[in-house]
Amino acid sequence: MSLGSIELGKHPAAVLRPLQFRSVVIDLPLLVILLAISAYGFIVLYSALEENSALLLRQGIRLAIAFGAFLVIAQIPPRVLRRWTPWVFCLGMVLLALVEIRGDIGKGAQRWLDLGVVRFQPSEIMKLAVPMMVAWFMHERTLPPRFSQLFVLLAIVFTPALMVARQPDLGTALLIVAAGGITILLAGVSFRLIVAAGVLAVGSAPLLWNYMHDYQRARVMTFLNPETDPLGAGYNIIQSKIALGSGGLFGKGWLNGTQAHLEFLPERSTDFVFAVMGEEFGLLGLLLLLGLYLALIGRGLFIALQAQETYTRLLAGALSLTFFFYVFVNAGMVSGLLPIVGVPLPFISAGGTSMVTLMAGFGMLVAIQGNKKLLAP
Amino acid sequence: MSAAVPLKDHWKEQRLFFTRIVAAVVVMVALTGVLIYRLVQLQIVDYQTFADLSQGNRLRIEPLPPTRGLVYDRNGKILAENLPAWELVLIPEQISDLDASLDSLVELGLVDVEDRPALLDLVRSHRRFEHVVLGTLSEETAARFAVRRHQHPGIDIREGLVRHYPYGASAAHAIGYVASISTADLELIERSEYAATSHIGKTGVERGFEFELHGNAGYRQQVVNAQGRVLLDPASRSDQVDSTTFGGGLETLWPAPGQNLVTSLDMELQLAAEAALGEFRGAVVAIDPRNGDVLALVSTPAFDPNRFTTGLSQQDFRELNNDPDNPLFNRALAGTYPPGSVVKPFLGLAALFYASIEPNGRSMCPGFFMLPGNSHRYRDWRPQGHGLVDMHDAIVQSCDVYYYNLAVELGIDKIEQFLKSFGFGAQTGIGISGERRGVVPSREWKRRNFSRREDQVWFPGETVITGIGQGFTLVTPIQLAHATAVLANRGVGYRPRLVIATENGTTAERVDLEPVGIEPLDIDDSQWQYIHDAMAGVTGEPRGSGFNTMNDAPYSVAGKTGTAQVFSIAQEEKYDAENVSERLRDHGLFIAFAPIESPTIAVAVVVENGGGGASAAAPVARTLLDVYFMGTEYVTREH
């Protein structure tokens, strides 16, 4: 809710741009799919939150704010967005630095910035600002990026990512790197370089290990062998696998998930809500969700392919593919494919900021789609 | 990478972007495939495994203990019952540091420091979710713990039933006691039946009839959450979860209480016999010859079985175990004594049966007996001898010389065979553990039990002393009482029994148990009569060894005294009770049955180191018979 209000404060002028022909810019397919996913998510949360009406109301408000952000941002012409990109990025960097200096501590990590009225995570801005900045940088230049330009791009991605990782928030840092990295890949970096980067990443793993916090190392170790510590670090993943597996094809039925309702499954309304869904609605319920997600991503990629300039094309593609990354990392973590990283399930997990960020991103997609004819070369 | 192009080539860039999107879609589809494959594996392939795990997560089976059966005496007096009490329980799965938890209990004074190792073993022998009963708490200590309960996670107090024996030490050896299940017990029992039971019968009827008394355990399924808190318990009304949500198919099997046992004991007799024995160590067994009912089974000193049920400390147990009087030892069943002269009626009957001797033929008793060709003198208890005696006189006066001769005439083989037919040398099969066989010596027995070749031979002199119940012969009080019962009933015997009926714990339906007969002895009635008359003479004739104690009894009684040497006296030496240490004094024995014509009670009394049978043992039998025939009031009036 917080990020939304920041963005809102900045954009009334944009909405009133004379270039706007239609009164409201909207993409119907995107809106329908987003509403479907949100509704589905709300149903699952109703169960995961133990029918707690106060918590459900808060989630409803967050959803409303996120949709508000989605609609507002959809009205900002991509040209304006592009022009503001460096400033948004710089603002994000300043806020990250502020967190570094004087941030609130929540759950043992320094992520939050208290602005008096609202508390929010500046790292969320970076999830959007980094791909925007990469797209902005390449917009003025020729694709694919030259080798020297690549260093600038990497700096754009890794400077904020490292700052976020230091908070420490490995999950968000990972998402920032993913968003920026995907944008760079879309910009046309040669596959040889990608392979080289991959080799470098594997090579730097031991370095990364030294840099990690104990709990992060524990998560990796747990991922490699969850059964070693069934009551400690491995507990989450064991219980979430039991929840998923015991759901079977059709699930135990709505509100009947024993793993979730008898408190065996931790983080059931946030990071592990995918397991609640799998337990209560079974494989079919999960496939429905994945289908909706893929439809959303497909529409996003369609918009990206139709986009007419480098900035919008790169941004639309990056936002869509990053979204897939979110889904895969969360589902992979819950089902035991990937280590446990604090990545919420998009539009389903309870919690405000990441949903607002995601909706804002889809708002940009709508804007890109809605304004393309007007901006034809 | 191609050389730099100054102008943007939109078509080329679009194509480049398109190929990248295609590549991304390929990767995306592949990853989605991996994810779906994983989900199919979890939710379809391994579904059953995870479904079971999830079920195991939420359901806990809480075992329910059956209520132990009550024990009554033959007149319905309660000998063992269950009283509500506070139990200190430990739940292993909720304990992180067992040592520290036990230490804290020791500090609170709830657990004796010496019991720590045993409790540690006990806890470790249980499964993690089983409640382990550490002991029973008094009202006060339970209250003391209750206020500190929150400081001791995994330790709790709960209401339970504790076994109580209203008569305390009385009949303790017959009833036995229950105590904490030991690791050794665990190997003998069906563990699932005892999952909720903390105590098990250790001795006496409590152990011998453990199966009947215990009943069948039940269980109930409970829904628990991740913290192990019970959310849904079909047995309680305070459900925190709507029973339709997760409660489907919860099973409850109520435990079946154990059977109540009606014992053959008559507590009035039992108490009278115990009182009559007083401070002496000894045993009394009274049997109804008509059915084998054990009316009294006394072993002194005894112990208070209630101390075991509330958790006997190591120190207390050591004290009991190291007591020189050995109160835990069941003398009535496991004490083996030389029978002394009480064996004489049986050997007399043997001589009649085998026609080895003419009963009315008188022989001279000079006060000693010598084997032909041997100068060793086997002395009579009466140095001056009994003069001319026949078998009747020899029993009445307990003439040793007559029996030395009789034994030699019979020979050890017939003695062995005959004594064994009365149950000596074998367990009577009373049905409670710890019974000893005793010894009926024979050539074969010597061969087996002696290691040196020269000791393995049977010597004629050994036959001589067997005639007066000395030498190798050892009998238990229960054997003596049983043999006396068979003698009283003229060869028709029954296996001694302590339980005469069972009562269904729920319906109170009583089932009387049939007495178990043993093979009757085929002996001529006149021969029985001869021995009965002689035993009547023991109590009724002025020269009878039991005359002083028994002659004024208001009922007809037949008996026989016996005095068993604990240590042997050298030739020409005189036994002087005053100069012999208490532990080496003679054992006094007495057997009796009454009324003579149709006996309803047979008694055997052994008084350890009590001196003579007539002076130490016969009065105990007299008191017992008085109470049996005349009632307690008569006895208190007369004495």
mmCIF file of all heavy atoms in Angstrom, chain A residues 139 141 143 185 189 239 244-245 248 252 259 262-264 278 283 310 313 324 335, chain B residues 5 8 13 17 20 24 28 31-32 38 42-43 47 54 57-58 225-227 231:
data_model
loop_
_atom_site.group_PDB
_atom_site.id
_atom_site.type_symbol
_atom_site.label_atom_id
_atom_site.label_comp_id
_atom_site.label_asym_id
_atom_site.label_seq_id
_atom_site.Cartn_x
_atom_site.Cartn_y
_atom_site.Cartn_z
ATOM 1 N N HIS A 139 17.666 2.008 -24.792
ATOM 2 C CA HIS A 139 16.771 2.680 -25.732
ATOM 3 C C HIS A 139 17.536 3.653 -26.623
ATOM 4 O O HIS A 139 17.261 3.747 -27.815
ATOM 5 C CB HIS A 139 15.681 3.418 -24.950
ATOM 6 C CG HIS A 139 14.675 4.090 -25.839
ATOM 7 N ND1 HIS A 139 13.714 3.378 -26.522
ATOM 8 C CD2 HIS A 139 14.474 5.394 -26.162
ATOM 9 C CE1 HIS A 139 12.980 4.207 -27.226
ATOM 10 N NE2 HIS A 139 13.415 5.449 -27.034
ATOM 11 N N ARG A 141 20.600 3.418 -27.422
ATOM 12 C CA ARG A 141 21.738 2.794 -28.093
ATOM 13 C C ARG A 141 21.272 1.654 -28.998
ATOM 14 O O ARG A 141 20.098 1.294 -29.012
ATOM 15 C CB ARG A 141 22.728 2.278 -27.032
ATOM 16 C CG ARG A 141 23.354 3.438 -26.252
ATOM 17 C CD ARG A 141 23.956 3.004 -24.938
ATOM 18 N NE ARG A 141 24.546 4.147 -24.252
ATOM 19 C CZ ARG A 141 23.830 5.005 -23.502
ATOM 20 N NH1 ARG A 141 22.532 4.836 -23.309
ATOM 21 N NH2 ARG A 141 24.415 6.037 -22.940
ATOM 22 N N LEU A 143 20.949 -2.124 -30.278
ATOM 23 C CA LEU A 143 20.961 -3.497 -29.778
ATOM 24 C C LEU A 143 21.763 -4.346 -30.741
ATOM 25 O O LEU A 143 21.725 -4.099 -31.941
ATOM 26 C CB LEU A 143 19.531 -4.038 -29.687
ATOM 27 C CG LEU A 143 18.595 -3.360 -28.676
ATOM 28 C CD1 LEU A 143 17.283 -4.125 -28.615
ATOM 29 C CD2 LEU A 143 19.228 -3.232 -27.309
ATOM 30 N N LEU A 185 19.340 -9.829 -21.156
ATOM 31 C CA LEU A 185 19.273 -10.945 -22.094
ATOM 32 C C LEU A 185 18.394 -10.598 -23.291
ATOM 33 O O LEU A 185 18.717 -10.905 -24.436
ATOM 34 C CB LEU A 185 18.729 -12.196 -21.405
ATOM 35 C CG LEU A 185 19.601 -12.830 -20.330
ATOM 36 C CD1 LEU A 185 18.955 -14.096 -19.790
ATOM 37 C CD2 LEU A 185 20.984 -13.147 -20.885
ATOM 38 N N VAL A 189 22.242 -9.839 -25.566
ATOM 39 C CA VAL A 189 23.600 -10.263 -25.240
ATOM 40 C C VAL A 189 23.841 -11.632 -25.869
ATOM 41 O O VAL A 189 22.966 -12.491 -25.845
ATOM 42 C CB VAL A 189 23.780 -10.347 -23.704
ATOM 43 C CG1 VAL A 189 25.144 -10.919 -23.363
ATOM 44 C CG2 VAL A 189 23.599 -8.989 -23.087
ATOM 45 N N GLN A 239 7.068 -30.356 5.691
ATOM 46 C CA GLN A 239 5.631 -30.165 5.894
ATOM 47 C C GLN A 239 4.951 -29.664 4.618
ATOM 48 O O GLN A 239 3.809 -30.025 4.342
ATOM 49 C CB GLN A 239 5.370 -29.192 7.048
ATOM 50 C CG GLN A 239 5.829 -29.701 8.407
ATOM 51 C CD GLN A 239 5.134 -30.980 8.841
ATOM 52 O OE1 GLN A 239 4.084 -31.333 8.326
ATOM 53 N NE2 GLN A 239 5.720 -31.689 9.785
ATOM 54 N N LEU A 244 1.390 -30.696 -0.009
ATOM 55 C CA LEU A 244 1.156 -30.837 -1.453
ATOM 56 C C LEU A 244 0.783 -32.263 -1.807
ATOM 57 O O LEU A 244 -0.238 -32.514 -2.457
ATOM 58 C CB LEU A 244 2.427 -30.450 -2.222
ATOM 59 C CG LEU A 244 2.710 -28.980 -2.454
ATOM 60 C CD1 LEU A 244 4.065 -28.808 -3.113
ATOM 61 C CD2 LEU A 244 1.624 -28.360 -3.320
ATOM 62 N N GLY A 245 1.623 -33.209 -1.360
ATOM 63 C CA GLY A 245 1.437 -34.608 -1.735
ATOM 64 C C GLY A 245 0.110 -35.160 -1.261
ATOM 65 O O GLY A 245 -0.584 -35.867 -1.995
ATOM 66 N N GLY A 248 -3.163 -34.674 -3.370
ATOM 67 C CA GLY A 248 -3.515 -35.566 -4.470
ATOM 68 C C GLY A 248 -4.030 -34.814 -5.686
ATOM 69 O O GLY A 248 -3.723 -33.638 -5.898
ATOM 70 N N LYS A 252 -8.052 -31.911 -0.702
ATOM 71 C CA LYS A 252 -8.893 -32.310 0.429
ATOM 72 C C LYS A 252 -10.145 -31.454 0.517
ATOM 73 O O LYS A 252 -11.005 -31.686 1.370
ATOM 74 C CB LYS A 252 -8.107 -32.171 1.738
ATOM 75 C CG LYS A 252 -6.913 -33.112 1.837
ATOM 76 C CD LYS A 252 -6.070 -32.828 3.070
ATOM 77 C CE LYS A 252 -4.852 -33.738 3.088
ATOM 78 N NZ LYS A 252 -3.887 -33.341 4.106
ATOM 79 N N GLN A 259 -2.963 -30.011 7.060
ATOM 80 C CA GLN A 259 -1.604 -29.499 7.246
ATOM 81 C C GLN A 259 -1.643 -28.009 7.567
ATOM 82 O O GLN A 259 -0.927 -27.522 8.423
ATOM 83 C CB GLN A 259 -0.788 -29.721 5.969
ATOM 84 C CG GLN A 259 -0.339 -31.130 5.759
ATOM 85 C CD GLN A 259 0.725 -31.530 6.747
ATOM 86 O OE1 GLN A 259 0.467 -32.271 7.686
ATOM 87 N NE2 GLN A 259 1.929 -31.014 6.571
ATOM 88 N N LEU A 262 -4.125 -27.264 10.986
ATOM 89 C CA LEU A 262 -3.623 -27.729 12.277
ATOM 90 C C LEU A 262 -2.207 -27.224 12.526
ATOM 91 O O LEU A 262 -1.470 -27.767 13.335
ATOM 92 C CB LEU A 262 -3.698 -29.256 12.351
ATOM 93 C CG LEU A 262 -5.113 -29.804 12.167
ATOM 94 C CD1 LEU A 262 -5.108 -31.319 12.190
ATOM 95 C CD2 LEU A 262 -6.042 -29.275 13.240
ATOM 96 N N GLU A 263 -1.831 -26.205 11.787
ATOM 97 C CA GLU A 263 -0.595 -25.453 12.037
ATOM 98 C C GLU A 263 0.685 -26.237 11.768
ATOM 99 O O GLU A 263 1.738 -25.911 12.294
ATOM 100 C CB GLU A 263 -0.573 -24.934 13.488
ATOM 101 C CG GLU A 263 -1.715 -23.966 13.764
ATOM 102 C CD GLU A 263 -1.923 -23.754 15.255
ATOM 103 O OE1 GLU A 263 -0.915 -23.681 15.976
ATOM 104 O OE2 GLU A 263 -3.079 -23.659 15.684
ATOM 105 N N PHE A 264 0.579 -27.318 10.992
ATOM 106 C CA PHE A 264 1.808 -28.032 10.658
ATOM 107 C C PHE A 264 2.622 -27.251 9.630
ATOM 108 O O PHE A 264 3.831 -27.280 9.631
ATOM 109 C CB PHE A 264 1.495 -29.427 10.113
ATOM 110 C CG PHE A 264 0.983 -30.361 11.167
ATOM 111 C CD1 PHE A 264 -0.351 -30.619 11.306
ATOM 112 C CD2 PHE A 264 1.879 -30.951 12.060
ATOM 113 C CE1 PHE A 264 -0.806 -31.461 12.296
ATOM 114 C CE2 PHE A 264 1.428 -31.787 13.057
ATOM 115 C CZ PHE A 264 0.080 -32.041 13.174
ATOM 116 N N GLY A 278 -2.346 -26.422 -2.984
ATOM 117 C CA GLY A 278 -2.151 -27.795 -3.449
ATOM 118 C C GLY A 278 -2.832 -28.799 -2.551
ATOM 119 O O GLY A 278 -3.313 -29.835 -3.003
ATOM 120 N N LEU A 283 -3.821 -31.231 -7.453
ATOM 121 C CA LEU A 283 -3.028 -30.942 -8.642
ATOM 122 C C LEU A 283 -3.848 -30.111 -9.622
ATOM 123 O O LEU A 283 -3.333 -29.179 -10.254
ATOM 124 C CB LEU A 283 -2.592 -32.262 -9.293
ATOM 125 C CG LEU A 283 -1.743 -32.149 -10.558
ATOM 126 C CD1 LEU A 283 -0.425 -31.450 -10.261
ATOM 127 C CD2 LEU A 283 -1.489 -33.506 -11.176
ATOM 128 N N THR A 310 12.320 0.378 -28.444
ATOM 129 C CA THR A 310 13.220 -0.466 -27.664
ATOM 130 C C THR A 310 12.831 -0.464 -26.190
ATOM 131 O O THR A 310 12.763 -1.510 -25.542
ATOM 132 C CB THR A 310 14.677 0.018 -27.820
ATOM 133 O OG1 THR A 310 14.952 0.096 -29.214
ATOM 134 C CG2 THR A 310 15.631 -0.943 -27.166
ATOM 135 N N ARG A 313 9.522 -2.319 -25.506
ATOM 136 C CA ARG A 313 9.698 -3.725 -25.869
ATOM 137 C C ARG A 313 10.474 -4.459 -24.769
ATOM 138 O O ARG A 313 10.045 -5.475 -24.246
ATOM 139 C CB ARG A 313 10.483 -3.775 -27.186
ATOM 140 C CG ARG A 313 10.416 -5.059 -27.933
ATOM 141 C CD ARG A 313 11.242 -4.944 -29.175
ATOM 142 N NE ARG A 313 10.556 -4.185 -30.214
ATOM 143 C CZ ARG A 313 11.157 -3.441 -31.153
ATOM 144 N NH1 ARG A 313 12.482 -3.335 -31.165
ATOM 145 N NH2 ARG A 313 10.480 -2.801 -32.070
ATOM 146 N N PHE A 324 7.274 -14.688 -14.509
ATOM 147 C CA PHE A 324 7.410 -16.145 -14.541
ATOM 148 C C PHE A 324 8.446 -16.601 -13.530
ATOM 149 O O PHE A 324 8.272 -17.609 -12.843
ATOM 150 C CB PHE A 324 7.803 -16.638 -15.938
ATOM 151 C CG PHE A 324 8.053 -18.122 -15.963
ATOM 152 C CD1 PHE A 324 6.981 -19.019 -15.984
ATOM 153 C CD2 PHE A 324 9.331 -18.637 -15.907
ATOM 154 C CE1 PHE A 324 7.199 -20.379 -15.952
ATOM 155 C CE2 PHE A 324 9.555 -20.006 -15.871
ATOM 156 C CZ PHE A 324 8.489 -20.880 -15.901
ATOM 157 N N SER A 335 7.658 -26.792 -3.519
ATOM 158 C CA SER A 335 7.612 -28.211 -3.877
ATOM 159 C C SER A 335 8.975 -28.877 -3.711
ATOM 160 O O SER A 335 9.124 -30.046 -4.061
ATOM 161 C CB SER A 335 7.113 -28.381 -5.311
ATOM 162 O OG SER A 335 7.971 -27.699 -6.204
ATOM 163 N N VAL B 5 26.884 -0.080 -35.486
ATOM 164 C CA VAL B 5 26.119 0.549 -36.576
ATOM 165 C C VAL B 5 25.638 1.899 -36.067
ATOM 166 O O VAL B 5 25.039 1.954 -34.987
ATOM 167 C CB VAL B 5 24.916 -0.334 -36.979
ATOM 168 C CG1 VAL B 5 24.221 0.226 -38.202
ATOM 169 C CG2 VAL B 5 25.358 -1.772 -37.187
ATOM 170 N N LYS B 8 19.988 3.155 -35.793
ATOM 171 C CA LYS B 8 19.226 2.025 -35.282
ATOM 172 C C LYS B 8 18.588 1.292 -36.448
ATOM 173 O O LYS B 8 17.936 1.902 -37.292
ATOM 174 C CB LYS B 8 18.142 2.542 -34.346
ATOM 175 C CG LYS B 8 18.565 2.572 -32.903
ATOM 176 C CD LYS B 8 17.511 3.243 -32.050
ATOM 177 C CE LYS B 8 16.851 2.324 -31.079
ATOM 178 N NZ LYS B 8 17.668 1.736 -30.064
ATOM 179 N N GLU B 13 16.611 -5.127 -34.959
ATOM 180 C CA GLU B 13 16.415 -5.189 -33.509
ATOM 181 C C GLU B 13 15.159 -5.968 -33.165
ATOM 182 O O GLU B 13 15.123 -6.739 -32.208
ATOM 183 C CB GLU B 13 16.318 -3.772 -32.931
ATOM 184 C CG GLU B 13 17.659 -3.117 -32.814
ATOM 185 C CD GLU B 13 17.619 -1.861 -31.951
ATOM 186 O OE1 GLU B 13 16.563 -1.600 -31.328
ATOM 187 O OE2 GLU B 13 18.641 -1.172 -31.901
ATOM 188 N N PHE B 17 15.004 -9.281 -30.919
ATOM 189 C CA PHE B 17 14.118 -9.348 -29.762
ATOM 190 C C PHE B 17 13.190 -10.558 -29.858
ATOM 191 O O PHE B 17 12.979 -11.289 -28.896
ATOM 192 C CB PHE B 17 13.303 -8.054 -29.646
ATOM 193 C CG PHE B 17 12.421 -8.005 -28.435
ATOM 194 C CD1 PHE B 17 12.972 -7.806 -27.158
ATOM 195 C CD2 PHE B 17 11.048 -8.156 -28.532
ATOM 196 C CE1 PHE B 17 12.178 -7.757 -26.055
ATOM 197 C CE2 PHE B 17 10.247 -8.112 -27.415
ATOM 198 C CZ PHE B 17 10.806 -7.914 -26.167
ATOM 199 N N ARG B 20 14.899 -13.682 -29.029
ATOM 200 C CA ARG B 20 15.111 -13.782 -27.582
ATOM 201 C C ARG B 20 13.827 -14.201 -26.854
ATOM 202 O O ARG B 20 13.850 -14.976 -25.911
ATOM 203 C CB ARG B 20 15.607 -12.438 -27.023
ATOM 204 C CG ARG B 20 17.055 -12.163 -27.383
ATOM 205 C CD ARG B 20 17.942 -13.261 -26.828
ATOM 206 N NE ARG B 20 19.164 -13.365 -27.565
ATOM 207 C CZ ARG B 20 20.357 -13.034 -27.055
ATOM 208 N NH1 ARG B 20 20.450 -12.586 -25.819
ATOM 209 N NH2 ARG B 20 21.442 -13.189 -27.773
ATOM 210 N N ALA B 24 13.244 -17.437 -24.649
ATOM 211 C CA ALA B 24 12.712 -17.341 -23.282
ATOM 212 C C ALA B 24 11.491 -18.219 -23.114
ATOM 213 O O ALA B 24 11.333 -18.896 -22.086
ATOM 214 C CB ALA B 24 12.371 -15.890 -22.957
ATOM 215 N N MET B 28 10.952 -21.155 -20.559
ATOM 216 C CA MET B 28 9.795 -21.063 -19.678
ATOM 217 C C MET B 28 8.967 -22.347 -19.729
ATOM 218 O O MET B 28 8.567 -22.901 -18.696
ATOM 219 C CB MET B 28 8.944 -19.874 -20.109
ATOM 220 C CG MET B 28 8.137 -19.264 -19.019
ATOM 221 S SD MET B 28 7.443 -17.690 -19.583
ATOM 222 C CE MET B 28 6.135 -18.233 -20.636
ATOM 223 N N LEU B 31 10.848 -25.130 -17.961
ATOM 224 C CA LEU B 31 10.787 -25.007 -16.499
ATOM 225 C C LEU B 31 9.387 -25.356 -15.978
ATOM 226 O O LEU B 31 9.242 -26.023 -14.952
ATOM 227 C CB LEU B 31 11.177 -23.599 -16.061
ATOM 228 C CG LEU B 31 12.663 -23.255 -16.201
ATOM 229 C CD1 LEU B 31 12.929 -21.818 -15.753
ATOM 230 C CD2 LEU B 31 13.531 -24.219 -15.402
ATOM 231 N N THR B 32 8.368 -24.897 -16.732
ATOM 232 C CA THR B 32 7.000 -25.241 -16.321
ATOM 233 C C THR B 32 6.806 -26.750 -16.354
ATOM 234 O O THR B 32 6.172 -27.338 -15.479
ATOM 235 C CB THR B 32 5.979 -24.559 -17.256
ATOM 236 O OG1 THR B 32 6.273 -23.168 -17.304
ATOM 237 C CG2 THR B 32 4.566 -24.748 -16.742
ATOM 238 N N ARG B 38 7.220 -32.314 -11.227
ATOM 239 C CA ARG B 38 7.431 -32.394 -9.781
ATOM 240 C C ARG B 38 6.104 -32.508 -9.027
ATOM 241 O O ARG B 38 5.968 -33.309 -8.095
ATOM 242 C CB ARG B 38 8.197 -31.145 -9.328
ATOM 243 C CG ARG B 38 8.380 -31.024 -7.834
ATOM 244 C CD ARG B 38 9.294 -32.103 -7.325
ATOM 245 N NE ARG B 38 9.661 -31.899 -5.939
ATOM 246 C CZ ARG B 38 10.446 -32.705 -5.262
ATOM 247 N NH1 ARG B 38 10.954 -33.770 -5.867
ATOM 248 N NH2 ARG B 38 10.734 -32.475 -4.010
ATOM 249 N N LEU B 42 4.699 -35.546 -6.681
ATOM 250 C CA LEU B 42 4.279 -35.388 -5.288
ATOM 251 C C LEU B 42 2.822 -35.780 -5.105
ATOM 252 O O LEU B 42 2.471 -36.485 -4.165
ATOM 253 C CB LEU B 42 4.456 -33.926 -4.837
ATOM 254 C CG LEU B 42 5.869 -33.412 -4.594
ATOM 255 C CD1 LEU B 42 5.822 -31.926 -4.274
ATOM 256 C CD2 LEU B 42 6.517 -34.158 -3.440
ATOM 257 N N GLN B 43 1.974 -35.312 -6.003
ATOM 258 C CA GLN B 43 0.540 -35.401 -5.754
ATOM 259 C C GLN B 43 -0.121 -36.639 -6.345
ATOM 260 O O GLN B 43 -1.209 -37.000 -5.934
ATOM 261 C CB GLN B 43 -0.160 -34.153 -6.284
ATOM 262 C CG GLN B 43 0.397 -32.889 -5.640
ATOM 263 C CD GLN B 43 -0.485 -31.695 -5.852
ATOM 264 O OE1 GLN B 43 -0.499 -31.128 -6.934
ATOM 265 N NE2 GLN B 43 -1.224 -31.307 -4.823
ATOM 266 N N TYR B 47 1.376 -39.899 -3.784
ATOM 267 C CA TYR B 47 0.211 -39.405 -3.036
ATOM 268 C C TYR B 47 -0.007 -40.174 -1.746
ATOM 269 O O TYR B 47 -0.157 -39.601 -0.668
ATOM 270 C CB TYR B 47 -1.044 -39.482 -3.907
ATOM 271 C CG TYR B 47 -2.316 -39.339 -3.119
ATOM 272 C CD1 TYR B 47 -2.663 -38.099 -2.566
ATOM 273 C CD2 TYR B 47 -3.150 -40.421 -2.880
ATOM 274 C CE1 TYR B 47 -3.817 -37.965 -1.812
ATOM 275 C CE2 TYR B 47 -4.304 -40.291 -2.133
ATOM 276 C CZ TYR B 47 -4.631 -39.059 -1.601
ATOM 277 O OH TYR B 47 -5.753 -38.921 -0.849
ATOM 278 N N SER B 54 0.437 -37.155 6.338
ATOM 279 C CA SER B 54 -0.448 -36.086 6.786
ATOM 280 C C SER B 54 -1.424 -36.606 7.832
ATOM 281 O O SER B 54 -1.696 -35.950 8.833
ATOM 282 C CB SER B 54 -1.184 -35.522 5.570
ATOM 283 O OG SER B 54 -2.499 -35.190 5.887
ATOM 284 N N ASN B 57 0.375 -37.047 10.976
ATOM 285 C CA ASN B 57 0.593 -35.740 11.586
ATOM 286 C C ASN B 57 -0.552 -35.345 12.483
ATOM 287 O O ASN B 57 -0.369 -34.898 13.583
ATOM 288 C CB ASN B 57 0.689 -34.672 10.485
ATOM 289 C CG ASN B 57 2.114 -34.258 10.235
ATOM 290 O OD1 ASN B 57 3.007 -34.614 10.977
ATOM 291 N ND2 ASN B 57 2.331 -33.502 9.176
ATOM 292 N N ARG B 58 -1.782 -35.564 11.990
ATOM 293 C CA ARG B 58 -2.903 -34.968 12.695
ATOM 294 C C ARG B 58 -3.534 -35.903 13.718
ATOM 295 O O ARG B 58 -4.179 -35.470 14.645
ATOM 296 C CB ARG B 58 -3.961 -34.489 11.703
ATOM 297 C CG ARG B 58 -4.819 -35.586 11.142
ATOM 298 C CD ARG B 58 -5.833 -35.060 10.153
ATOM 299 N NE ARG B 58 -6.685 -36.137 9.736
ATOM 300 C CZ ARG B 58 -7.897 -36.347 10.207
ATOM 301 N NH1 ARG B 58 -8.396 -35.552 11.099
ATOM 302 N NH2 ARG B 58 -8.608 -37.362 9.794
ATOM 303 N N ASN B 225 -2.677 -30.686 16.843
ATOM 304 C CA ASN B 225 -2.051 -29.728 15.942
ATOM 305 C C ASN B 225 -0.539 -29.908 16.005
ATOM 306 O O ASN B 225 -0.036 -30.819 16.650
ATOM 307 C CB ASN B 225 -2.487 -28.294 16.259
ATOM 308 C CG ASN B 225 -1.892 -27.800 17.566
ATOM 309 O OD1 ASN B 225 -1.140 -28.509 18.224
ATOM 310 N ND2 ASN B 225 -2.234 -26.597 17.934
ATOM 311 N N ALA B 226 0.169 -29.018 15.318
ATOM 312 C CA ALA B 226 1.606 -29.197 15.193
ATOM 313 C C ALA B 226 2.314 -29.170 16.539
ATOM 314 O O ALA B 226 3.362 -29.761 16.712
ATOM 315 C CB ALA B 226 2.188 -28.115 14.280
ATOM 316 N N GLN B 227 1.720 -28.490 17.519
ATOM 317 C CA GLN B 227 2.354 -28.416 18.831
ATOM 318 C C GLN B 227 1.988 -29.627 19.686
ATOM 319 O O GLN B 227 2.410 -29.723 20.834
ATOM 320 C CB GLN B 227 1.930 -27.138 19.573
ATOM 321 C CG GLN B 227 2.601 -25.890 19.055
ATOM 322 C CD GLN B 227 1.950 -25.401 17.772
ATOM 323 O OE1 GLN B 227 0.750 -25.286 17.685
ATOM 324 N NE2 GLN B 227 2.770 -25.121 16.772
ATOM 325 N N LEU B 231 -6.792 -31.102 19.808
ATOM 326 C CA LEU B 231 -7.842 -30.202 19.357
ATOM 327 C C LEU B 231 -9.191 -30.874 19.405
ATOM 328 O O LEU B 231 -10.211 -30.259 19.627
ATOM 329 C CB LEU B 231 -7.578 -29.753 17.922
ATOM 330 C CG LEU B 231 -6.317 -28.937 17.723
ATOM 331 C CD1 LEU B 231 -6.183 -28.579 16.265
ATOM 332 C CD2 LEU B 231 -6.349 -27.686 18.566
#
